[in-house]
Each structure stands twice: as structure tokens, then as C-alpha cells.
Amino acid sequence: SVEDLTATVTDAATNAAVFLGSQLYNCDGCTVDGRLGTQYGIKIDGTSSYGQHAVFIRESSNLVVRGFEVTRQSVYAADVAAHHLISLGTGANYGIQILDSYLHHSSADGVNANFTVADGTGYGATIVSNVVISHVGDDGIQIANRQATVANCRITADIPAMFGGHPDGVQLNPDGGNLKIVGNYFSGFNQNVFVEYGASNILIWNNVIVGDPTHTNGTDRAMSISARTNTWTG
């Protein structure tokens, strides 16, 4: 369900289908594909009626979202609280993939994945691949403690932190594990990669990390990584 509307992007379409905020829920095993040649064929511009984020994903597993442009550019400067571009909320379980998309301009995170998965193991609870994230007031990707893969993305801050944010490019919360970060470009965050007390299996390689203190709030680190004493397994 996309705010209870259905849109089909046909081969003959030349412009994106535009929605003012969206929800994706009860979408187990679905693919929502907005690719339109070299364009993003689905554009979300605004705020969802549920959760106040641009896109709210809930009660779904094994869901693929691709070819989206997601922005709150027209409204984010007037926010009175932090709102994300894509938020994974209650019931956003294993296998949420965000691919081939452009996320920009919000008062909080590009992708916020704070709901803990109910099942599944490995690196695929959340996959973000070939996604551009820019102009965010907090984290590029807040992955909480979900197992995740972040690959081949360009993630930059570009605006000052909002609502007391301490922006990180990718943040893994304490005691998280099974995280792959590979082939990305990061710039402009307090910690471009932040692993806080990782528990196991943190793999980080082939990334480009560029310092840019213009948009940070007190620190400017390539990576800040720590391991939980006596529980680290690899």
C-alpha cells in the first residue's frame, strides 16, 4: 500500500509518479520498482501521514524498494522535530533492500532502521546498495543493531546537524554485529563510520572517506570503532 494508492510506471512513461509521503506495509516478498530508464520513476516528496517520515516501511519482510527518489526538500526546514527519509518501523523484518535510489534533504537520517529484526541471520536484514544519500540533518544510515550490508553508496552530510544531531555516515548501535560496509564514499560526518561496541563480524573494506569539518559537530573522524570486551568473535 502506498497511501492506499496504486501506481504503474509504464514503459512509455517519461516523468516520475509523485507521491506526498508514503507507507509500505504488509509487503512480504514484494518488489516496488520505480526504475524508469536512467531516471527514478517514483518520487516521494513530503511527509507520510504515519510516523512523519517521507517513507515508512512496516510489517514487511523480503521487500525490495528500488528506483526511488525520496526527499523532504520542500518541508524539512520547517520541521519542529527530526524526521527521516526512509524509516524502518514496527515489523520491518529480515530482508529489506533499498537499491538504486536517491535520498536527499531531511532533518534527520537518510535511512533509519531501528526496529530489531525478528528472524534471519547473516548480513541481509537490511541491504542498502547503489544509493546516493545527501543533505541529511543526522545520520546517513542509522542501522541500529540490525545485520546489514551497505555497498556502493555515496553518503554525504552537506548541511549542518539539526535537532542536536551528532551525524554519522553509518552507525551501528552497541552489541550489533554482522555488518558489511564496502565500496562506499563518505564525507562530512562526525564519524563517517561508527561502530559502537560491536559484538561480532564487522567487515569494512574498499571505502573512500573524506574529512569535511564544515558540517560536523565537534569531531571529524574517518572511523570510530570499538569492540565489546569478551564477546567479540571475529
Side-chain angles (χ1 to χ4, degrees):
S1 174
V2 181
E3 294 293 79
D4 299 322
L5 297 175
T6 299
T8 300
V9 181
T10 71
D11 292 341
T14 58
N15 296 301
V18 181
F19 298 89
L20 302 178
S22 72
Q23 299 177 57
L24 296 172
Y25 59 93
N26 294 333
C27 294
D28 290 348
C30 293
T31 296
V32 185
D33 193 340
R35 291 176 301 177
L36 181 62
T38 59
Q39 303 179 59
Y40 307 106
I42 295 177
K43 181 176 181 179
I44 310 298
D45 186 357
T47 301
S48 169
S49 61
Y50 187 99
Q52 301 302 307
H53 313 298
V55 176
F56 199 85
I57 297 174
R58 58 191 180 95
E59 280 79 43
S60 299
S61 59
N62 299 312
L63 166 65
V64 178
V65 175
R66 65 174 6 134
F68 273 44
E69 179 182 357
V70 181
T71 182
R72 299 186 64 255
Q73 188 167 9
S74 62
V75 297
Y76 86 101
D79 285 349
V80 295
H83 301 312
H84 311 304
L85 289 168
I86 297 181
S87 178
L88 277 57
T90 304
N93 283 312
Y94 199 86
I96 306 297
Q97 299 187 51
I98 301 167
L99 312 175
D100 310 328
S101 295
Y102 177 32
L103 318 180
H104 61 101
H105 289 90
S106 193
S107 57
D109 303 338
V111 177
N112 180 279
N114 271 330
F115 181 79
T116 301
V117 293
D119 52 23
T121 59
Y123 298 91
T126 304
I127 297 173
V128 183
S129 179
N130 195 32
V131 173
V132 175
I133 299 174
S134 70
H135 296 84
V136 288
D138 205 340
D139 300 335
I141 302 175
Q142 164 55 270
I143 211 66
N145 60 355
R146 297 169 67 98
Q147 309 100 318
T149 298
V150 179
N152 305 315
C153 296
R154 182 180 179 89
I155 303 174
T156 58
D158 303 307
I159 60 174
M162 300 179 69
F163 299 105
H166 192 267
D168 305 307
V170 172
Q171 180 176 358
L172 181 70
N173 284 2
D175 300 303
N178 287 41
L179 174 67
K180 291 183 181 179
I181 301 176
V182 53
N184 304 285
Y185 177 98
F186 297 98
S187 178
F189 296 94
N190 287 88
Q191 286 101 191
N192 285 285
V193 175
F194 184 27
V195 174
E196 187 176 6
Y197 297 116
S200 61
N201 301 324
I202 310 298
L203 307 177
I204 303 170
W205 77 103
N206 284 6
N207 299 282
V208 175
I209 300 177
V210 179
D212 175 8
T214 305
H215 309 117
T216 57
N217 182 21
T219 56
D220 180 25
R221 300 183 180 125
M223 295 188 287
S224 179
I225 301 173
S226 56
R228 179 67 75 186
T229 303
N230 298 326
T231 63
W232 179 262
T233 60

